[in-house]
Amino acid sequence: MSERATAGAGRDLGLDAFRGLTVLLMAIVNLQGDGAVAFPWLVHAEWDGLTFADLVFPWFLLAVGLSVPLALRAGRPPALSDVVRRVAVLLVIGVVLGWLIRPTLDPEQVRWVGVLQRIAVVYLVCVLVAGRFSGPLVPALLAALCLVVHSLALLLVAAPAEPGPSLAMGQGFSAWVDQKVVPGRLHRGTWDPEGAWSTLSAIGTGLIGVAFARLHAERGGKAVAGVAVVLAGAGLALMPVLPLNKALWTASYALVATGSGVALWLGLRRIVATGRAERSLALLVIAGQTALTVFVAHMLLIAILVRKVSGETLWSILFGGLQRLTLPDAVTSLVFAIIATGIALAPVPWLKRRGWLIRA
């Protein structure tokens, strides 16, 4: 491993940059001025299909899996109390952020699941597996098991009162599990993009990250790149049976996302190793090392922007003002997102210097 690619005990600056890129892209996607006019590649696919925006979350979960083996001390599992604390912090922050965006005193209207909650579950499983088993084989096999079981249920199990298995929006086994298992409000009414059954495949995504981190330590970047290409190819080959679908987190989607994400991680790692792009990647590295704070900051900004003034949200008021520049609508939407992301990111270096970061 190149000395330039790492810094400090167990740090992988390429991985920091990868994590930072994903959290910044997450903010830019979430802060589009108006999704109806935004560039299509910056808006999530309505159902089947794949846009650039759809890759961001699985890339972050991949980064979670890649990070876990580095965080383990000499291969020993972390203290259970530390794991439980981190998971609890992520769960609580996730629920609170969701509540701030849509405050309610009715627990049935609270959205109890979300991005941070899914990260918490994936992190928990990755830590338990990586702490118990060494090498890439067991995490890889468990990831495959998650994807296979998830896929078989989608393809073979019909929801009660439905004539057969379905992959249609709001129908099928995955939506039925969300309706029966997920408490409170489902984000899309009859299903949730961070629902229960799709989390199984998301766990598989994180475990693939654990396996890749271990494979990289044992065999190096070329072996990892080769396997990543195979995974992405396998995902594309599955498309006739399992379409690329973020909401369902289909196996095809998970494999294409992890394959492309690993390629990006390796590319950033190679750039860091050359030592010629330290300044250009500095923002990504800082964002990666403060990812939870960056995520919370952009969600707090969203909670402010959705507040209404005279019956209109601050979001629409500010976006309407920006539209007076008469730029193309899609460009205006992106400019709004970049400015908003900059505002959310601005206090993070100051918080970092004072040690006031939000840590799980």
Side-chain angles (χ1 to χ4, degrees):
M1 181 181 296
S2 168
E3 293 181 0
R4 289 186 180 272
T6 60
R11 284 233 77 92
D12 180 337
L13 296 184
L15 181 53
D16 286 337
F18 177 54
R19 189 189 304 107
L21 178 62
T22 61
V23 75
L24 291 180
L25 288 173
M26 196 177 297
I28 289 174
V29 168
N30 290 339
L31 288 165
Q32 285 298 305
D34 185 350
V37 301
F39 289 109
W41 51 277
L42 285 173
V43 179
H44 294 297
E46 184 176 357
W47 191 244
D48 290 341
L50 184 68
T51 69
F52 182 74
D54 293 323
L55 293 171
V56 176
F57 193 17
W59 283 354
F60 193 92
L61 293 183
L62 175 67
V64 170
L66 290 168
S67 301
V68 165
L70 289 176
L72 299 180
R73 296 181 177 179
R76 294 186 305 233
L80 182 59
S81 59
D82 290 338
V83 174
V84 171
R85 179 188 62 79
R86 291 186 182 117
V87 170
V89 168
L90 289 171
L91 290 174
V92 170
I93 293 176
V95 172
V96 170
L97 289 174
W99 183 87
L100 287 173
I101 291 173
R102 187 171 171 174
T104 176
L105 296 178
D106 182 359
E108 292 300 317
Q109 293 302 313
V110 174
R111 186 177 178 228
W112 296 100
V113 295
V115 169
L116 287 184
Q117 296 92 313
R118 174 164 285 183
I119 292 172
V121 173
V122 172
Y123 165 77
L124 175 61
V125 176
C126 288
V127 168
L128 294 177
V129 171
R132 177 65 179 84
F133 301 100
S134 60
L137 181 60
V138 172
L141 290 176
L142 290 175
L145 180 63
C146 288
L147 297 182
V148 169
V149 171
H150 177 266
S151 300
L152 290 177
L154 291 182
L155 295 171
L156 302 178
V157 180
E162 293 185 9
S166 175
L167 299 180
M169 183 185 299
Q171 301 179 28
F173 181 76
S174 184
W176 177 77
V177 172
D178 285 353
Q179 295 163 24
K180 295 299 181 182
V181 174
V182 178
R185 176 177 61 88
L186 296 177
H187 191 50
R188 303 298 184 188
T190 57
W191 59 278
D192 198 290
E194 279 77 51
W197 192 246
S198 59
T199 297
L200 178 63
S201 186
I203 289 171
T205 302
L207 289 173
I208 289 173
V210 174
F212 270 124
R214 292 274 173 77
L215 181 63
H216 189 278
E218 292 184 3
R219 302 286 297 276
K222 289 184 178 180
V224 169
V227 176
V229 170
V230 171
L231 287 187
L236 294 175
L238 285 172
M239 285 177 58
V241 179
L242 285 168
L244 300 172
N245 188 300
K246 177 184 181 295
L248 294 173
W249 212 283
T250 54
S252 59
Y253 166 74
L255 292 174
V256 169
T258 51
S260 60
V262 167
L264 180 56
W265 166 55
L266 291 176
L268 289 170
R269 205 170 183 282
R270 182 174 289 274
I271 292 172
V272 170
T274 65
R276 290 182 296 211
E278 293 180 5
R279 290 185 179 180
S280 60
L281 293 182
L283 175 62
L284 300 184
V285 171
I286 292 173
Q289 293 175 355
T290 60
L292 181 56
T293 303
V294 172
F295 182 85
V296 170
H298 106 278
M299 290 297 290
L300 289 175
L301 180 59
I302 290 175
I304 293 171
L305 291 174
V306 297
R307 301 278 77 82
K308 289 187 177 181
V309 177
S310 301
E312 192 174 4
T313 65
L314 284 172
W315 198 314
S316 60
I317 292 172
L318 294 173
F319 181 65
L322 195 61
Q323 284 182 308
R324 294 173 186 168
L325 298 176
T326 65
L327 297 170
D329 286 342
V331 174
T332 305
S333 181
L334 178 57
V335 169
F336 181 92
I338 292 172
I339 293 173
T341 299
I343 292 172
L345 190 65
V348 173
W350 181 80
L351 293 171
K352 186 174 187 291
R353 287 194 299 271
R354 284 156 180 76
W356 294 348
L357 296 174
I358 302 171
R359 300 184 185 276

